[in-house]
Amino acid sequence: MNKVKISKTAIAIASLLVSSSALAVKYKVTELSVTPNHKQSFGVANNDVGDVLSLAREGINYPFYFNDYLLNSSSTLLLNCGVTQEELDSEAFDAASADCLVTQLGSSSTYRYNSNYQKIGDDKTAYYGQNIEQGILNVVDVIDPVLGEYTRSNIEQLKAINNSSIAVGTVTAPYSMETYTFESDSGNTTYDLFVREHDERAVVTDGENVTLIEPSYSTYGGKSFASNISDTGYVSGYESVAMYSVYEQEIADNCTGESFPANVCQWSYTSLEDIYELRATVWKVDSDNQVVDQVNYGLAFVPSETQTRNYKSVATSVNDQGIAVGYGDVPIGNSTTTISSTSMPLVFKDGEVQKILQDNDNFDAGYAIDINNSNIVVGKVQKYFDGQFNDSMFVYDLDMDKLTLPTVFYIGSRATANAINDNGFVVGNGEYEISNASTRRKHGYIYDTNTNTFNDLNDFTSCDATLEIIDAVDINNNNEIVATALKTVQSIDALGNVEVDDDGNDIMVQVPVAVLLEPIAGGEIESCADEVVKYERKGFSNSLWMISFLSIFAVIRRRFL
């Protein structure tokens, strides 16, 4: 990405051009419409110079290989999806068949973990800004000679971007189709198998040049993962440092290559199980985005002889001083005999792992998600009751060793903090709806640690806004916020065609969209006539299943559970 700066003066001038009616609100909301070939988008990250990242999902017009996995007459996949012989002969599926095939191949364990079947990659990063061309960023995917286009078989998620426009995240290698011949006494058998070079890799990119960070332990590929990058070049994440001993001999015994390709056999293990010991890591990259130093952090405890589980630690964010935060496994009750563990928020500093909660402070789990340059940490802690984990956002002053649990929306609202900027503003999501339901609707919020004031971000938008902000994911030092909102749109099918009902009327659905919230100079909270039913006034009707689904992505920028 070119190092083009967008000045605050330019932003201020743009704000003055907003209509007088819009100046009655605190934030201008811009939908990041840069993913026209995907049905959903989620806010991810932004920096101070105008770069914004989002995540695109549910792509349309997937390309398909027409080979053994489809053409086998006994294929249950074809039966399940109602694929006709006419579609196979023409190599063109209708929308229903294409949608079913993508769903089955991408979600069903029968096909997802079987190397005989095509692989589907549904997560791609999109860029919004002025430094490079807006739209989907291709990081490591390749043009397939059979498909004649990108394989769309891998995952590419950039998680953060610093003020030098250097982004980090994780990618998996694209799959390629290779033909294998197996010899036996009864004759040779040929198969088409889908294989790839590696699983997760931490990636550093400026939009043109791509650097993959190889893990310290790379047997059978290994894993590395990047979650954030500071302006000083520190990168947080995790990597494989060893193989979990349970699998080492098993893979060696079973993946000999005699009856099946060794690399495919090994892939089956790495896809199904977490076979590696994963440890929080902070890398240092230079101006060419090459790793010049790294520190591997261990666990927050020393496992006893009986504690033989595959424990891990993860760094989710890092500041300019190289201080990282995240989470890691801790024995329940801090026992030296119990095998079971829970995740607890951790600080990774000067080669040492520090607990934020002492003796767990009566919490059942917790995750540190972000840290600013004043060493203020945010995240969430959890208490388990009524059959589920209940989240409370926290703010932790590392220098003062002080933990606070601010109330957002109302006492008892389940909430998490996703990011904090150097001005002390925290953004996240929490339940605004008061009900006895196990799943309640959520809104994005902003919290000022300086004044201990909290606001629903939907209060800062216009009374006639058609977007409902359900999650605030990142905030830069201009107080510009990247968020995810719900929007009502015309439904489109797997081929991109508008869907209609039996009467020919457009089918309307709610989808998540990435948005950017920019503060308006002199803006005030708009007084709405229907203030008592504020959230109904905008025509919102987000279903509980949608909110439950979206909660998976609540902290998609930095939390990797």
Side-chain angles (χ1 to χ4, degrees), residues 64-65 67-84 87-88 93 96-108 110-112 116-120 194:
F64 294 96
Y65 296 88
N67 65 318
D68 290 350
Y69 86 99
L70 274 181
L71 302 181
N72 188 329
S73 60
S74 62
S75 171
T76 56
L77 179 63
L78 300 185
L79 181 64
N80 291 342
C81 291
V83 176
T84 67
E87 289 176 296
L88 295 177
F93 296 116
S97 295
D99 183 62
C100 179
L101 288 171
V102 169
T103 301
Q104 290 286 310
L105 291 170
S107 303
S108 172
T110 301
Y111 310 114
R112 184 177 180 183
N116 294 106
Y117 292 90
Q118 178 177 352
K119 301 299 173 249
I120 303 295
F194 292 89

Side-chain angles (χ1 to χ4, degrees), residues 316 325-327 344-346 356 366-370 377-380 394:
T316 57
V325 297
Y327 61 90
M344 284 293 170
L346 303 174
I356 289 178
Y367 305 85
I369 298 171
D370 198 15
V377 184
V378 298
K380 70 176 183 180
F394 75 77

